[in-house]
Amino acid sequence: MAIIEEVKNPVLEVHSLTVVYNKQPAIWNVDFTLPKGQIIGIMGPNGSGKSTLLKAIMGVVDANIGYVKVFDQEIEEVRRKVSYVPQRQSVDWDFPAQVKDVVAMGRFATRGILSRLNAEDKEIVQESLKKVGMEAFANRQIAQLSGGQQQRVFIARALAQRAELYLMDEPFAGVDASTEESIIELLNEMRNHGKTLIVVHHDLYTASDYFDWVVLLNTRLVASGPVAKVFTPEILAEAYGSRLTTLSKVADLLAERRFPMRHK
Ligand SMILES: Nc1ncnc2c1ncn2[C@@H]1O[C@H](COP(=O)(O)OP(=O)(O)OP(=O)(O)O)[C@@H](O)[C@H]1O
Ligand SMILES: [Mg+2]
């Protein structure tokens, strides 16, 4: 019944991954593989282990059991090709830095921390800010931006890294509708250039538009596969609990869009 689709030549492999905090598992025995060149949604209720999964992939938290391979290698070997945007609440926004310096950190991730930025790097920083509509704020202190503006700067930093794989933890949290639209356009453009984007997201309504592939978590892996296969009422209920009233609305929405749904 569970849908866990295996991928050939995966961009990411997660094997038996278990992360335990204070004797409580945050993710438990999770196994999946992800395809290259797609936009992949990581979804599941609050506390279901989405952020922990991204941190374990990045090596920010250690796995208690299991391992992860990125581009068929250890994360340490390929870190420059992988860009990570943490969940906004988890970042201390009071540090003194100008917006352009925060974005430039994306270039140092590629060039090494002791290098100097050349003209090309500076151009990439400008271009990245422009892509998220923040070029007018280049000299502003990061602490003096609104939440949604800070989020856009962190996305610009990820863009400046020119990575191959992007892990974004709730990039749409706290951004307005038109910004969300422009960010998803940007992600589509990146995908069309062969990049892989892994995006933690909460909104079930937009997920089927945004994502090619969805990983559903609820401490355990509930499903991993093409969005049309994963978004069935039964699987959503397994991830979110069947009493959630939005689930029936989502099922209606999916029916309207004539997604394939399984009936008993
Ligand atoms: N540093 C930590 N120490 C102890 N427990 C933690 C820590 N970080 C997360 N947890 C716990 O692990 C579980 C998973 O947390 P995680 O942040 O991965 O969830 P999430 O799916 O990202 O949730 P949200 O949708 O709220 O962002 C939760 O029960 C959380 O309380
Ligand atoms: Mg989270």
Side-chain angles (χ1 to χ4, degrees):
M1 159 92 189
I3 295 209
I4 297 163
E5 280 220 356
E6 285 289 320
V7 173
K8 279 199 183 129
N9 303 319
V11 70
L12 174 77
E13 298 166 52
V14 171
H15 294 281
S16 311
L17 192 69
T18 297
V19 177
V20 180
Y21 297 116
N22 311 323
K23 296 185 184 164
Q24 282 284 339
I27 43 183
W28 184 257
N29 197 24
V30 166
D31 268 281
F32 62 85
T33 48
L34 293 181
K36 186 175 178 293
Q38 298 209 354
I39 306 182
I40 296 143
I42 308 280
M43 303 193 68
N46 288 135
S48 59
K50 305 178 296 296
S51 296
T52 301
L53 174 63
L54 294 202
K55 287 177 192 167
I57 294 168
M58 291 305 292
V60 178
V61 300
D62 290 330
N64 296 76
I65 305 171
Y67 65 98
V68 171
K69 277 194 164 186
V70 187
F71 301 113
D72 206 23
Q73 285 179 293
E74 302 279 321
I75 181 67
E76 296 310 331
E77 307 296 320
V78 292
R79 201 171 277 285
R80 287 177 184 199
K81 292 203 286 185
V82 185
S83 178
Y84 168 52
V85 182
Q87 195 164 357
R88 196 163 60 83
Q89 297 94 304
S90 69
V91 177
D92 173 13
W93 295 98
D94 278 338
F95 62 90
Q98 287 184 317
V99 164
K100 62 174 190 282
D101 299 329
V102 173
V103 179
M105 285 158 69
R107 296 310 301 154
F108 291 121
T110 321
R111 294 215 188 277
I113 201 95
L114 295 176
S115 62
R116 292 184 57 141
L117 293 192
N118 62 26
E120 188 200 356
D121 294 315
K122 288 179 184 161
E123 209 164 284
I124 291 173
V125 167
Q126 276 303 317
E127 202 183 293
S128 305
L129 276 170
K130 198 164 172 215
K131 284 197 162 151
V132 299
M134 287 296 290
E135 69 272 37
F137 296 84
N139 298 316
R140 184 82 74 86
Q141 287 290 316
I142 187 84
Q144 293 168 1
L145 295 178
S146 76
Q149 290 167 339
Q150 289 173 338
Q151 185 74 299
R152 284 146 73 181
V153 171
F154 264 57
I155 293 168
R157 183 183 71 163
L159 295 178
Q161 195 181 329
R162 299 269 165 102
E164 292 300 315
L165 171 66
Y166 294 79
L167 307 179
M168 299 183 167
D169 200 342
E170 301 203 28
F172 304 120
V175 304
D176 60 46
S178 75
T179 304
E180 177 161 339
E181 206 171 296
S182 62
I183 293 171
I184 195 70
E185 265 173 37
L186 196 60
L187 302 188
N188 276 309
E189 188 189 315
M190 292 161 78
R191 186 257 324 266
N192 295 343
H193 284 95
K195 314 281 187 186
T196 308
L197 301 116
I198 300 178
V199 179
V200 176
H201 187 55
H202 269 293
D203 185 4
L204 284 165
Y205 291 104
T206 49
S208 56
D209 277 342
Y210 290 179
F211 303 129
D212 306 305
W213 187 282
V214 173
V215 173
L216 269 182
L217 265 187
N218 196 346
T219 310
R220 294 165 185 273
L221 182 71
V222 176
S224 172
V227 64
K229 280 195 183 170
V230 165
F231 271 24
T232 67
E234 295 91 343
I235 294 175
L236 288 174
E238 204 178 319
Y240 288 92
S242 53
R243 279 170 300 165
L244 203 66
T245 49
T246 52
L247 276 182
S248 56
K249 290 188 203 147
V250 170
D252 291 345
L253 200 76
L254 292 171
E256 277 167 32
R257 290 192 190 159
R258 280 175 289 158
F259 271 85
M261 292 212 291
R262 284 186 287 142
H263 296 285
K264 284 195 179 118

